[in-house]
Amino acid sequence: MTLNFAHRGSLTEAPENTLPAFQKAIAHGAKAIEFDIQLTKDNYLVVCHDHKLNRFNPWTNKRITDLTLSELKQIDIGSSFNENYTGITVPTLDEVLELCPKNILLNIEIKNIPVIYKGIEEQLIHCLSKYNRFENILISSFDHVALKNVQEIAPTLPLGMLFYYRILNPWDYATKSGLNIASIHPNNVYTDRQLIEQCHNKGYQVYPFTVNKKERFNELVAYGVDGVFSNNPEIFSHE
């Protein structure tokens, strides 16, 4: 059985990484949801992919790291998607954890590049502890130092190692990293049968991003992939 992730919620139906997007994904029966976290100026964990907000609100070019949570909550990121979502704002991690049932696997990506958020790993573990959410949690990042920091604080949390570009033998790199890697998350454009088989031989699951076409999804399933990140409800609600 493949375990597919709703990428930033159901982002074709509601503004990405917002509570409505997660509600839509849950309504579709998604078994797993992926989202990104960053830190505000006053050290609150919020869920957003971009470091700047101008893609969601053309009237602001502010970075999340330069805004307090109160200031961030004044910025509408919903109306640019659809006027029905006017007033929707960037959610906190607390709000997302309160919304998502514990039986849904949450892939929390630490968005640590190009801004390096000092202490984000400690804040994340503290928040998970507050909600007793250490089951059905997968922490991923392109910043592998952030994964190391997570492991030092919470050694039992499974980690997902993200790769954007092709590297030689990522399965060996993951093994030699000394990290508690549960899964490899490669860009789907170079994910093939060999990569999947080699990762499986090392004990890693493989979840490529971002797979939106059914034909490509079916191809990857035939290769033996464990699941994908997808914006397509037909894929992320597939079992």
Side-chain angles (χ1 to χ4, degrees):
M1 185 184 79
T2 55
L3 179 63
N4 302 316
F5 293 79
H7 183 234
R8 308 179 201 169
S10 189
L11 61 73
T12 63
E13 300 177 293
E16 66 180 63
N17 274 329
T18 64
L19 298 183
F22 300 134
Q23 289 168 334
K24 294 280 188 184
I26 293 168
H28 281 297
K31 301 297 186 296
I33 296 175
E34 183 269 357
F35 56 84
D36 312 275
I37 60 166
Q38 301 187 50
L39 274 179
T40 63
K41 183 179 181 180
D42 50 351
N43 281 325
Y44 283 92
L45 286 167
V46 293
V47 175
C48 190
H49 177 270
D50 295 11
H51 289 89
K52 290 185 177 182
L53 296 170
N54 54 308
R55 183 161 65 91
F56 315 109
N57 187 319
W59 304 108
T60 181
N61 198 35
K62 294 283 191 178
R63 299 187 307 168
I64 288 175
T65 189
D66 296 327
L67 296 166
T68 66
L69 179 60
S70 177
E71 291 168 338
L72 186 63
K73 284 294 190 179
Q74 301 302 312
I75 300 174
D76 168 23
I77 64 165
S79 57
S80 61
F81 181 89
N82 185 302
E83 64 180 11
N84 293 330
Y85 293 103
T86 299
I88 293 297
T89 60
V90 171
T92 63
L93 178 58
D94 294 70
E95 290 172 319
V96 174
L97 292 179
E98 289 171 359
L99 172 70
C100 295
K102 289 188 175 183
N103 64 334
I104 293 179
L105 174 61
L106 300 181
N107 180 168
I108 304 175
E109 180 183 339
I110 298 175
K111 210 70 187 175
N112 226 23
I113 299 172
V115 178
I116 302 297
Y117 291 106
K118 184 175 176 58
I120 191 172
E121 302 89 354
E122 290 87 347
Q123 291 286 87
L124 172 58
I125 302 308
H126 174 75
C127 191
L128 292 175
S129 178
K130 180 169 61 172
Y131 289 93
N132 192 26
R133 291 293 289 262
F134 288 100
E135 300 294 325
N136 281 331
I137 295 291
L138 176 63
I139 308 300
S140 68
S141 188
F142 287 102
D143 179 2
H144 302 165
V145 174
L147 297 180
K148 178 178 180 290
N149 293 338
V150 168
Q151 180 168 297
E152 290 175 350
I153 304 165
T156 61
L157 270 180
L159 305 174
M161 187 171 268
L162 274 156
F163 296 93
Y164 190 82
Y165 298 106
R166 288 193 292 179
I167 71 167
L168 295 173
N169 304 337
W171 48 88
D172 288 334
Y173 170 84
T175 300
K176 292 174 182 177
S177 72
L179 300 180
N180 181 31
I181 302 301
S183 52
I184 301 292
H185 304 180
N187 192 316
N188 100 88
V189 299
Y190 59 77
T191 301
D192 57 17
R193 189 186 301 274
Q194 181 188 25
L195 185 149
I196 293 169
E197 289 178 351
Q198 292 284 5
C199 288
H200 284 171
N201 288 340
K202 294 289 187 177
Y204 304 126
Q205 295 177 314
V206 182
Y207 299 115
F209 65 92
T210 306
V211 181
N212 297 324
K213 294 184 178 180
K214 289 292 292 292
E215 296 79 11
R216 177 59 170 157
F217 173 66
N218 292 334
E219 182 179 41
L220 288 167
V221 169
Y223 292 162
V225 78
D226 299 285
V228 301
F229 297 92
S230 182
N231 303 333
N232 185 344
E234 290 187 36
I235 293 176
F236 69 63
S237 59
H238 177 85
E239 294 189 37

